[in-house]
Amino acid sequence: MVSLQVVVFLLSVSEVISQCPPSSGIYLMHNGICYTNNGSFFTDGSIRPTPLECGLLGATLNGGQWIGPNGVVPCDSGNNQNVQCTTGSSGASLRVFINPPSFLGADGDGQYMCCLPTDCSDPNTNIIFVNIFSFAEIESFTVADLPSDMTVYPQEYKQNCTKIGFRRYDISMSIGSTALANYTNCDDSSNNCGGTVLSGPVENTIRYTVDITWDGMTVSSGSISQSTTGDQMYQCRLADHPDSNYIRIRNVTIKVPATAPSSLTEVSKTATTITVSWTALDSSDADGYVVNVTSDTDTVQTVQVEGSSNNTITLNGLRAVTTYSITVRAYQQLLGPASSTISVFTHCQQQGIYLGNNGNCYTNGSYFWDSSVNAANEAISCVLPGTSLTTGQWVRVADPDDPVDCNSNSASDPFRCTNVTSPNATINLYLAPNQGLPAAQEGWYKCCLPTDCSDPNTNIIFANIFRFAEIESFTITDLPSDMTVYPQEYKLNCTKIGYYQYGISMSIGSTALASYTNCDDRSSTCPGTELVSSSYTVRYTVDITWDGMNVSSGSISQSTTGDQMYQCRLADHPDGYHIRIRNVTIKVPATAPSSLTEVSKTATTITVSWTAFDSSDADGYVVNVTSDTDTVQIVQVEGSSNNAITLNGLRGGTTYNITVRAYQQLLGPASTISVQTLPVINSINWTLVSSITQLNNTQYHIDCLTTTDVNPSTNVYWLVNGVMKSNSMYTSIDVLTYNNTLLVYPDPLGVSVNVTCIAMIGGVNYSQSVILHAPSNPPNNVRGFILNANSIKVNWTTSSETNGYVIEYTTGGVTRNVVSTSKGEIVLTDLSPMSGTYTISVYSYIDLPSVNSTVTVLRFDVPSPVTSLSVSNVSTTSITVNWTIPSSDNYCGLPGATLNGGQWIGPNGVVPCDGGNNQNVQCTTGSAANLSVFINPPSFLGADGDGQYMCCLPTSCSTPGTNIITATIFRFVEIESFTVADLPSDMTVYPQEYKLNCIKIGHIRYGISMSIGSTALASYTNCDYPSNNCPGTELSGAVANTVRYTVNITWDGMTVSSGSVSQSTTGDQMYQCRVADDPGANEIRIRNIIIKVPATPPSSLTEINKTTTTITVSWTALNSSDADGYVVNVTSDTDTVQTVQVEGSSIYLRHNGNCYTNNGSFFTDGSVRPTPLECGLPGATLNGGEWIGPNGTVPCDGTNNQNVQCTTGSGASLTVHINPANGYLGAPGDGQYMCCLPTSCSTPGTNIITATIFRFVEIESFTVADLPSDMTIYPQEYKLNCTKIGFHEYVISMSIDDTTLTNYPGSFCDDNSNTCSGTVLNGLVENTVSYTVTITWDGMTVSSGSISQSITGDQMYQCRLADHPDANAIRIRNVTIKVPETAPSSLTEVSKTATTITVSWTALDSSDADGYVVNVTSDTDTVQTVQVEGSSNNTITLNGLKQLTTYNITVRAYQQLLGPLFIQSIGH
């Protein structure tokens, strides 16, 4: 752009043309460039190698010539000052040049004239002028940017002096003897004097500029100033350096008026205009004028009047009653000096009669103290603008037939007056000199204009002229318009005027509210407010408070009823010649509205009415509603006839006190009644709708009766043990009531069910609750007795807390029946004998059945009857009874085979089938191939017969291929099995947990233990099955008294632990279960089990190779007998990278089977009610460890902190949970918790892990994603991700400043139906949903979809989350993106070639930039975009450009995003 401006400027001077030579006219040509205008410049050096040709196309040379400052240039091979001429080859053409090695002589320096085709004496010849010079020359010296708007002041413009030629010189510009700029020893090769380099036809074209400010008296440039009057003459001086062979001087003059316009005069005025005039200057001395109008120190208007002869102006738009200062200046190219200032006072008003006095305006009814109007210059002016006075007059109102005689005065007519006929009719009234105002003559006067007062069409205004002191006004101010504000406050204002010594008071009735005596306005002895000092006008104010019964001001009060009449009393002091009294009345209802009555009511409204007042007694009413001592609402009812109102927005079931007062200017007394709104929830009850025998499937109806003011589909919901449920079942009972129903079932955890019905209306929640109680424990001491072949009796110990019992009995896994009873026993009948084992479960219930039961197992086997019953050996004292033992149902069989030597073999050998026995075991043969073994009562198994038996069919056991089955027949007790359960399949979970299960069968009394080595992990003695006094689990097995004992084992790599018992071990782990009958320990049973564990770690772990993303390692493999595999754990710092493994020294959290090793996990308060959150440190011992929450330490002594309590576990383990009986997490307990193990948090080096326990909803994270790494792509895009967890109903938004970027439909989000379309994530916390906003940044505006927000600098975004509908928890997270606030400055071209440009800029601090992006465009096309990394790198060379092309280059700083740009255009 700069080069283009320069070229245009040079064309205007030299007229360089593209067509060369031109088609017509005389011209100059040099170096292939043509010049058609006069005044071109050429250095003598430029015409040494290349002549300057002067031509005229189409003509024939006929004596043409060149003439220079020293005369004619010879064309005959001579020279003049070394300048010589040659003729061209054709047409009219002459060339001048300087023959090398000569230079231009001193007398040849200057202007040359070329004349063609004839010599210069021919008046019809064609002439063109040129300047040929040595060394340096001033090409031009001009004034630029002279102001066209003369109203802008001070005035600014520029002096431009353009130098050409020799590169070394001195240059200055000055006014008079004052140098405004002075540069010496300038050298254009280094541009050391700071001129602007121009691209001109003459070498070394440099422009020097001086900025000038003119304030009407002084010319200034920077710190240099020079006072001057009239025209301003500036000089530019140029001299080659160092010899000053040539000194060039150019002058330029700016026309400035030397004198100000004279005789500035007010011509006329109105209330809003002033017309002024002045003596015009000659046209040679002025081009026009500037009129300036000020008021005080403020400029009101400045007007430019063009033309030297225009010497009058009307100034419009002024304010009435205002003094204006007016000046006028003449101007030519600049403004001249200002005239003398005149002051003009505008009229009071544009039309209509008014009064004036001492420069002030007064309206009808104004007061004038006789002492202030006792001279002609203090007269009261009566003015009627725009009219001419005819017969106007002043008249005393008390004596209308005797008007004031303006020309004489007397005791009965003490006034004189003067008048103005036009353009504004005026009569000025004043007391004659030395003439006092008699008492009889004070009072009201009227002025009539323009005719006398007898004319019915005249204009009249009144004035009160008084002696001593007078009350100018007594008024009430600030009376309340809003009658709902109570008590009411207002002011009494009594304004005194006149004599400066007086006493003044204000009162109601006989009570003085304010009283001041001996007041003297000269020294302000009384606390009035001075309004006009000249007339001693002072206002006194009393602040009044009205509470409905008492008027009070400060400590003074007066009870009053009805209208309030106030009085102001004024008396001059000390003589009290005149006592002035004024009264004012405030309208106040005298009585309260009667018959205030309740008309109707709902849960949220009350309608009341009262007896209306007449319009003369009331303007309206104020209804006030209170609850307890709190004001609920105050309503103003306008109009005396409006005597009923419906009060909305009330709370259900609440008693309100309602008062009503009438009002006029103030409130009157009150009437009051009390009314209770209808309840929002009338009642809540539960009903059992299915049999209690359905146990966990038992159904209950909860019925909640709510008012019809509440929408049951949207504003009624339920809480069941703190879990929100929607309301979907409701019916209308009547016009006032809905029945809302919820179906509930017993809680799976066996706790009581607390059901709360919540109805929301007007933003207020109402609730009632009902509890369905569940037993704390199942029945105790449940026993069963077989009564007969089809009946069993079951009994138990009853409890006073229960209402009854449910008995469930099954066999073979099939439910036979479920019955209930309220007693402590029941007989189960119609059973099926020989059908196996019955499992009988007994549950207790209150309202709900218990989840757990006490179980008894009975084997219901009825034996076959005996046969061959006989009696023998009867005597007097004895009898022998004999019978045949029935065949047993216990046998070994082989269907389809025939017995051929089959046998039973026990631990003591073959069991005889011939009537003998082996250890009391004997055998009988059955039909087909079956053999039965039994022990004949009353014998028992011998000790040597205890053990494994083998049945072989159909042949003996020694026969190859016979069929064999084994069984164990044992005495007392036996271990049915000893196993390991739940061994981990995922070896990356650490420490490892599993179970030992030892199942005991047989005798009901025993002792049992499990151990590793010599360490007992569990040991129970004197166990008795019927009382279940040992903590085994009863199983329904084929053998009586089957009980399983379980030990939970934790293995941390060094130690086996179970509860508080631990044993260090290495390698395989061998466990033992031992069972013995009690008390004799006749049989001791032992089972062992081994768990395979590598005894040593793999050796020689070595790095083999690695890349940027991989590492390969190896180790020495173990034998297959010593290892099944390996676990490789990779960590970085303290973070596990590829395998989640809890090492022996790492603190962890565990919840619901999941382990957490990092800080910052989230847990809802509901999730830590049923399941505690455990904090553990394997291998450590608790020594003062603690949990600390946002409300302080969590107690472990049974108390709680915000319902959070702590319990200690084995080792170094602490759990926190919320006790269900105490509800949910308290608000101050919401936030971050810190677990410290094994010592307290204050102990240095303790292990710490943090977690957040929250109520309702929480923001899990708020992050910025996809920020650009390539800063050359524009506009820039990225994402905001806000992840919400917790309660399913909520409101969520993301914003920047006050602009919301998200807009989700509906009033709230519900995760159950995903109404807000968030992305559902599979997180560890319920209802994990992520919301994303895509952002576009264009350098000025952040936008997302149709939403945009302009911003500068860092961008701070906010995510806001609140649960719905109550907003109990409002969560806010902020995230900031770093963006440079300012563009790099001073973007400058350093150098350029035909294909490159090097630019630089001022680098930003490293805190403000990470680097820069340089963008290059040509026209509208992007040529290249380059990213420069590093805030200190502030120079770049742009390659691959096109020659002779203009490029726009911008640079932006960047951090995380790009900042604003700096633009520079560079020609190339």
Side-chain angles (χ1 to χ4, degrees), residues 217-267:
M217 296 183 291
T218 304
V219 165
S220 59
S221 177
S223 60
I224 302 169
S225 64
Q226 171 67 44
S227 61
T228 183
T229 303
D231 294 344
Q232 300 173 11
M233 189 176 78
Y234 294 91
Q235 183 180 93
C236 179
R237 181 186 185 278
L238 173 70
D240 58 277
H241 184 83
D243 300 320
S244 297
N245 296 286
Y246 288 90
I247 297 175
R248 317 289 187 177
I249 292 176
R250 292 279 186 95
N251 296 317
V252 66
T253 299
I254 301 175
K255 300 294 287 179
V256 184
T259 60
S262 61
S263 306
L264 178 60
T265 308
E266 171 195 334
V267 176

Side-chain angles (χ1 to χ4, degrees), residues 1261-1267 1277-1283 1292-1297 1299-1302 1304 1330-1336 1342-1344 1355-1359 1373-1377 1457:
S1261 63
F1262 182 37
T1263 58
V1264 181
D1266 298 342
L1267 278 169
E1277 294 185 348
Y1278 51 96
K1279 290 179 171 56
L1280 303 176
N1281 291 326
C1282 189
T1283 301
I1292 190 168
S1293 65
M1294 282 178 270
S1295 61
I1296 182 171
D1297 292 338
T1299 301
T1300 300
L1301 302 173
T1302 54
Y1304 297 109
S1330 177
Y1331 289 87
T1332 299
V1333 174
T1334 301
I1335 304 293
T1336 299
V1342 165
S1343 60
S1344 177
Q1355 300 172 11
M1356 189 175 81
Y1357 294 92
Q1358 183 179 96
C1359 179
R1373 291 278 186 95
N1374 296 319
V1375 65
T1376 299
I1377 301 176
L1457 295 175

Side-chain angles (χ1 to χ4, degrees), residues 9-10 13-14 39-44 46 109 131-140 161-171 188 196 198-208 236 238-240 246 248 250:
F9 174 74
L10 291 175
V13 174
S14 304
S40 299
F41 284 83
F42 297 92
T43 65
D44 59 347
S46 68
D109 184 286
N131 192 302
I132 301 173
F133 65 93
S134 296
F135 294 99
E137 179 60 274
I138 297 173
E139 184 185 64
S140 64
C161 187
T162 302
K163 164 265 166 193
I164 53 178
F166 189 57
R167 64 181 176 85
R168 295 185 64 189
Y169 53 91
D170 302 327
I171 190 168
D188 291 341
T196 301
L198 304 180
S199 178
V202 183
E203 65 181 353
N204 302 322
T205 301
I206 308 290
R207 181 179 66 230
Y208 288 86
C236 179
L238 173 70
D240 58 277
Y246 288 90
R248 317 289 187 177
R250 292 279 186 95

Side-chain angles (χ1 to χ4, degrees), residues 1384 1401 1403-1404 1409 1411-1414 1426-1428 1430-1433 1451-1454:
W1401 56 89
L1404 297 179
Y1412 308 90
V1413 170
V1414 181
V1426 184
Q1427 184 169 343
V1428 181
S1431 63
S1432 61
N1433 294 326
V1451 61
R1452 298 172 183 262
Y1454 70 83

